[in-house]
Amino acid sequence: MYENLPFSQRLCNLKQNKKRVMQILVLFTSLLFICSVSGYFDTYIDIINGNWNFIKFFISVGVMISIGGLSISIILMIKRVIQSYEKEIYYQTYYDSLTGLPNRFLLHKKLTDELHQANQNTYALAILFLDLDIFKLINDTLGYKMGDLLLQKVSQRLISYVKGGGSVYRQGGDEFIIILSGITREMVTKVTQEILDTMSRAFKLADEEIFITTTIGVSLYPSDGKDQYTLIKNAETAMYYAKKQNKNNYQFYNSNMLYEFPAKMVLKNSLHKALKRKEFLVYYQPQINANTGDIIGIEALLRWKHPSFGLVSPSEFIPLAEKTGLIIPIGEWVLQTACAQNKALQKAGFPPLIVSVNISQHQFVQHDFVETVARILKETELNPKYLELEITENVTQNIEKIMPVLQKLKSLGVRISIDDFGTGYSSLNYLKHFPVDTIKIDKSFIQDVCTDIKSQEIIKTIIKLGHSLKLKLVAEGVESKEQFHFLKEHKCDEIQGYFFSKPVSIQTLKPNIILWKSPKPSKLARAQTCEDFLRTFPLCYEI
């Protein structure tokens, strides 16, 4: 082992890497300089060996200089520190920091051993793939802090149930995997149903009782696969099939599922390659000044043009992107593209517009999110005042955590918008604290505004509240002349929706910007229907 080599040979090994030698020389030069003042210096350093394992060393240097300056004595001690450092690295690599469960890296490592034992001893093995049915709803309504607490409670309950009869792993997000060894199909059926019953009992989160359901897919070794990847994939396929049939149930894998339920799995697998293959597009929906009819902004909306399925609905692939973590690189690509295309419009001589970009919870909590925004603005040369970041109400649950992020974004000059306003619990609280510029009224209120008195009163209240706080109001989902006139009458600042235009590509948007920038109010007033309006201002529809 490295630590058993003589010190001289260790230095010889290090010299094989010139860069590392230079780093060590700089380190010791610094130590000698410090010691010339203080007389001694103690520190810890980390060195990575050839196997990419961390080795921690304790270094103590002492320097004694005689009065005449004629003699120098140096005492150098280097000692390897083992203790719990390598255990900490191991834990961080193979265990989930939130739940304490083994993660998917340790799952694949252990499952390889389990399959070898099962093959040697000719016994069966079961893979249970669990997914929580309403986890996204918990996050959206109660906030991510409660969602994290729920995942911890679920983990504890699964561990308590399985005990010594199996092992539990967190696959990712709200997905868990249980391995059961030496078990028959009948026993798996009994265990799986008991897990469903166990998970259906109330979870105590803070002062609330939460009820959830679980869907489970099961694959068996060796009948459903001989290797770990096939078994996990087939268990996941069975889980999706079970969700399609009815949530809160389980299904055993069978090969017919590949033909009966392929779309979800194909989309999930394709999503990993979509960004590299440049299958994503950014469409834009105009935001119109309610009084003048001028186009003053555009909202960037992600679209996926799948080579086999065509345009895939965001409601289908965005949840998959969030669950797999791909929403981070995809979201960054959307931000980069929207800023670059907006700057290109300005360079081409079009009137400057504010581009709004939706930011997911997963993006917003990244430690380098502000730095990413600043870098993109610098690379695209877009003035920050022409970028608006839209966050939803569920992002605003933890005021202490997100306030510094919002303040840093505001210091960049970026605008902040609250999307889907009125659907969460903390609206008034964050309006009081956060540096918000715009409120976007949720389309669920707009849909019923012509027939429902309560919706009318809610919208009027939101508009008055926003104006009293000097915020801009944008109404989403405007689809009819009656909705438009109601919002205009009650002084909503901007309108967005199919009444004016569906989201369109940048190529379609370009020739219509000038037409939308200077419409005549008389024509706007004369438009009797959506079709009349579109004939007056011919912004093309696109699917």
Side-chain angles (χ1 to χ4, degrees), residues 242-260:
K243 278 187 178 289
K244 183 182 178 183
Q245 304 305 309
N246 187 19
K247 294 179 180 179
N248 192 30
N249 81 107
Y250 66 91
Q251 291 286 335
F252 282 86
Y253 172 80
N254 69 72
S255 57
N256 292 330
M257 291 178 180
L258 293 176
Y259 304 99
E260 296 178 26

Side-chain angles (χ1 to χ4, degrees), residues 23-33 59 61 76 78:
Q23 291 173 342
I24 292 176
L25 288 175
V26 171
L27 171 63
F28 280 99
T29 301
S30 302
L31 291 175
L32 290 174
F33 175 77
I59 297 179
V61 181
L76 172 64
I78 302 178

Side-chain angles (χ1 to χ4, degrees), residues 369-380:
F369 177 66
V370 176
E371 289 75 11
T372 299
V373 175
R375 172 178 53 80
I376 289 175
L377 287 169
K378 182 178 181 180
E379 291 173 353
T380 60

Side-chain angles (χ1 to χ4, degrees), residues 268-279 326:
K268 187 172 183 179
N269 293 333
S270 300
L271 194 60
H272 287 269
K273 304 173 184 177
L275 193 58
K276 184 177 180 180
R277 293 176 177 176
K278 300 181 179 180
E279 295 172 359
L326 291 172

Side-chain angles (χ1 to χ4, degrees), residues 23 44-48 53-57 81 85 89:
Q23 291 173 342
Y44 289 90
I45 65 169
D46 295 328
I47 294 179
I48 301 176
N53 294 319
F54 284 93
I55 303 175
K56 181 180 278 291
F57 288 94
V81 180
Y85 188 67
I89 296 297

Side-chain angles (χ1 to χ4, degrees), residues 199-449:
M199 298 299 291
S200 65
R201 298 201 308 268
F203 286 89
K204 185 79 171 181
L205 304 183
D207 296 326
E208 297 191 49
E209 282 193 342
I210 303 297
F211 291 88
I212 65 169
T213 56
T214 309
T215 301
I216 304 175
V218 183
S219 65
L220 301 174
Y221 171 84
S223 59
D224 297 331
K226 301 294 181 65
D227 63 271
Q228 54 178 310
Y229 301 103
T230 302
L231 287 167
I232 293 174
K233 177 178 68 69
N234 289 343
E236 185 178 17
T237 299
M239 182 273 293
Y240 279 123
Y241 185 85
K243 278 187 178 289
K244 183 182 178 183
Q245 304 305 309
N246 187 19
K247 294 179 180 179
N248 192 30
N249 81 107
Y250 66 91
Q251 291 286 335
F252 282 86
Y253 172 80
N254 69 72
S255 57
N256 292 330
M257 291 178 180
L258 293 176
Y259 304 99
E260 296 178 26
F261 192 65
K264 196 71 146 181
M265 295 300 298
V266 171
L267 281 181
K268 187 172 183 179
N269 293 333
S270 300
L271 194 60
H272 287 269
K273 304 173 184 177
L275 193 58
K276 184 177 180 180
R277 293 176 177 176
K278 300 181 179 180
E279 295 172 359
F280 289 116
L281 305 168
V282 176
Y283 274 30
Y284 298 93
Q285 189 169 40
Q287 295 169 337
I288 309 300
N289 185 300
N291 294 316
T292 66
D294 287 353
I295 178 173
I296 56 178
I298 47 177
E299 180 180 0
L301 298 166
L302 178 63
R303 295 291 182 266
W304 180 16
K305 192 171 184 179
H306 191 278
S308 301
F309 301 128
L311 282 176
V312 182
S313 169
S315 63
E316 291 187 52
F317 72 84
I318 292 295
L320 285 177
E322 291 180 337
K323 183 168 286 191
T324 58
L326 291 172
I327 194 66
I328 305 299
I330 292 173
E332 183 175 332
W333 178 85
V334 173
L335 184 60
Q336 177 90 32
T337 303
C339 289
Q341 292 186 341
N342 195 25
K343 182 62 179 180
L345 287 175
Q346 296 177 11
K347 287 183 176 180
F350 290 96
L353 301 172
I354 296 173
V355 62
S356 300
V357 181
N358 292 280
I359 304 299
S360 76
Q361 164 79 9
H362 302 272
Q363 287 177 270
F364 197 83
V365 298
Q366 293 295 300
H367 70 278
D368 61 345
F369 177 66
V370 176
E371 289 75 11
T372 299
V373 175
R375 172 178 53 80
I376 289 175
L377 287 169
K378 182 178 181 180
E379 291 173 353
T380 60
E381 300 179 351
L382 181 68
N383 190 319
K385 69 180 182 180
Y386 295 120
L387 173 63
E388 184 170 77
L389 301 179
E390 293 189 12
I391 59 175
T392 55
E393 291 191 35
N394 57 49
V395 177
T396 66
Q397 298 293 324
N398 190 335
I399 293 179
E400 294 78 12
K401 187 174 182 179
I402 75 162
M403 179 64 81
V405 180
L406 290 174
Q407 290 173 338
K408 290 178 183 178
L409 290 171
K410 290 299 294 181
S411 67
L412 293 177
V414 172
R415 298 176 59 85
I416 304 296
S417 171
I418 301 296
D419 198 14
D420 302 332
F421 184 83
T423 58
Y425 293 130
S426 58
S427 307
L428 298 179
N429 191 33
Y430 63 63
L431 286 183
K432 176 182 176 182
H433 292 92
F434 295 162
V436 178
D437 300 288
T438 304
I439 293 175
K440 299 193 74 174
I441 306 173
D442 187 68
K443 61 184 179 181
S444 61
F445 299 114
I446 308 299
Q447 291 172 351
D448 302 325
V449 72

Side-chain angles (χ1 to χ4, degrees), residues 24-42 59 61-65 72-76:
I24 292 176
L25 288 175
V26 171
L27 171 63
F28 280 99
T29 301
S30 302
L31 291 175
L32 290 174
F33 175 77
I34 295 172
C35 290
S36 66
V37 178
S38 63
Y40 67 91
F41 185 79
D42 294 339
I59 297 179
V61 181
V63 177
M64 295 180 291
I65 302 176
I72 300 177
S73 298
I74 301 176
I75 300 173
L76 172 64

